[in-house]
């Protein structure tokens, strides 16, 4: 039908229905793409580069993955398979923080992932397992269903932003910005900034800011 959108990749056959028998699997192709992105960054992931890594021709990959967008969706969902999803403890805050800490570790293992989590949220088979786990954790929470979905989105987005900031902090430009802010504080021309940076509580809070901010945000969303 004209204008009808192609279904998500997980609702399509593993391989195009015509042509030679399958020599690869989506899982194999996805694993190679993730490895390439981990090693060289997301910009390096193209059908040509991926085909070279797999020792095949780029055209042959289109029998398994129609577009680069499909490939990105597969990569995102593959990382969601790295979570451990234990039985809920009954403490929803602790359980959601455990999910978030795992998300933080996964995103740091895959530095290309945070920007995709923010810009193209994707739910495949592993992602829906994660969502089901979060809803299980919140099963007895009185929040509305829509707010529980918002909590899932907030957890992912805030974690991605934290990891992006952590990764950027090692960049020389971030160090230059920090040096400039220290100069401003010392100069005394911005007294509120000077007082903020001189507050010893700021350093103490920064040690576990991730858990603190995330707990506040989730509590606010869930009510």
């Amino acid at each position: 039908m004209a204008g009808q959108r192609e279904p998500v990749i997980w609702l399509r056959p593993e391989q195009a229905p015509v042509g030679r028998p399958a020599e690869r699997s989506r899982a194999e192709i996805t694993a190679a793409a993730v490895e390439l992105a981990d090693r060289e960054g997301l910009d390096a992931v193209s059908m040509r580069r991926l085909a070279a890594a797999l020792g095949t021709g780029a055209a042959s990959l289109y029998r398994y993955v129609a577009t680069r967008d499909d490939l990105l969706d597969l990569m995102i969902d593959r990382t969601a398979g790295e979570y451990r999803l234990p039985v809920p403890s009954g403490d929803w805050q602790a359980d959601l923080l455990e999910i978030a800490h795992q998300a933080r570790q996964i995103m740091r293992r895959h530095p290309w992932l945070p920007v995709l989590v923010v810009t193209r949220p994707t739910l495949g088979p592993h992602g829906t397992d994660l969502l089901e786990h979060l809803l299980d954790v919140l099963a007895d929470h009185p929040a509305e269903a829509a707010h529980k979905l918002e909590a899932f989105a907030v957890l992912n987005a805030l974690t991605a932003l934290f990891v992006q900031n952590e990764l950027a902090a090692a960049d020389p430009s971030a160090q230059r910005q920090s040096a400039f802010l220290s100069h401003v504080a010392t100069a005394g021309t911005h007294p509120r900034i000077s007082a903020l940076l001189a507050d010893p509580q700021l350093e103490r809070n920064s040690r576990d800011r991730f858990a603190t901010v995330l707990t506040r945000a989730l509590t606010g969303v869930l009510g």
Side-chain angles (χ1 to χ4, degrees), residues 76-83 85 123-131:
I76 294 168
D77 192 64
R78 181 181 175 86
T79 66
E82 298 179 22
Y83 286 88
L85 304 177
L123 274 181
H126 293 302
T128 50
D129 287 345
L130 179 60
L131 174 57

Side-chain angles (χ1 to χ4, degrees), residues 65-184:
V65 183
T67 66
R68 186 174 185 269
D69 283 343
D70 285 343
L71 184 60
L72 295 179
D73 287 346
L74 290 168
M75 292 167 64
I76 294 168
D77 192 64
R78 181 181 175 86
T79 66
E82 298 179 22
Y83 286 88
R84 302 178 309 279
L85 304 177
V87 175
S89 69
D91 182 341
W92 69 266
Q93 284 192 357
D95 288 349
L96 291 190
L97 282 178
E98 170 58 24
I99 295 173
H101 286 308
Q102 288 192 55
R104 191 181 188 183
Q105 294 168 358
I106 291 167
M107 291 181 197
R108 288 183 67 87
R109 283 199 296 271
H110 308 292
W112 49 269
L113 181 58
V115 68
L116 292 184
V117 169
V118 173
T119 60
R120 54 177 305 129
T122 299
L123 274 181
H126 293 302
T128 50
D129 287 345
L130 179 60
L131 174 57
E132 180 72 12
H133 176 69
L134 179 139
L135 294 176
D136 199 17
V137 165
L138 296 175
D140 295 328
H141 196 286
E144 297 177 10
H147 293 169
K148 293 178 181 181
L149 285 175
E150 290 168 2
F152 183 67
V154 165
L155 186 153
N156 286 323
L158 273 181
T159 304
L161 290 174
F162 261 91
V163 174
Q164 283 183 299
N165 285 333
E166 288 172 341
L167 296 174
D171 189 274
S173 63
Q175 297 172 17
R176 291 194 296 270
Q177 288 296 320
S178 179
F180 174 72
L181 193 59
S182 296
H183 168 76
V184 169

Side-chain angles (χ1 to χ4, degrees), residues 12-96:
R12 288 182 242 152
E14 268 278 326
Q15 185 200 3
V18 296
R20 293 174 297 173
E23 298 173 355
R24 307 279 179 185
S25 68
R26 279 182 187 161
E28 181 182 5
I29 292 168
T30 305
V34 167
E35 183 179 345
L36 180 58
D38 288 348
R39 187 173 64 247
E40 300 185 35
L42 197 60
D43 289 343
V45 178
S46 66
M47 292 301 197
R48 180 183 60 81
R49 289 291 309 279
L50 184 55
L54 290 166
T56 188
S60 69
L61 293 185
Y62 289 102
R63 298 167 59 203
Y64 308 92
V65 183
T67 66
R68 186 174 185 269
D69 283 343
D70 285 343
L71 184 60
L72 295 179
D73 287 346
L74 290 168
M75 292 167 64
I76 294 168
D77 192 64
R78 181 181 175 86
T79 66
E82 298 179 22
Y83 286 88
R84 302 178 309 279
L85 304 177
V87 175
S89 69
D91 182 341
W92 69 266
Q93 284 192 357
D95 288 349
L96 291 190

Side-chain angles (χ1 to χ4, degrees), residues 4-13 26 66-67 70 73:
Q4 185 173 358
R5 297 189 64 181
E6 186 77 8
V8 294
I9 189 165
W10 296 283
L11 296 180
R12 288 182 242 152
R26 279 182 187 161
T67 66
D70 285 343
D73 287 346

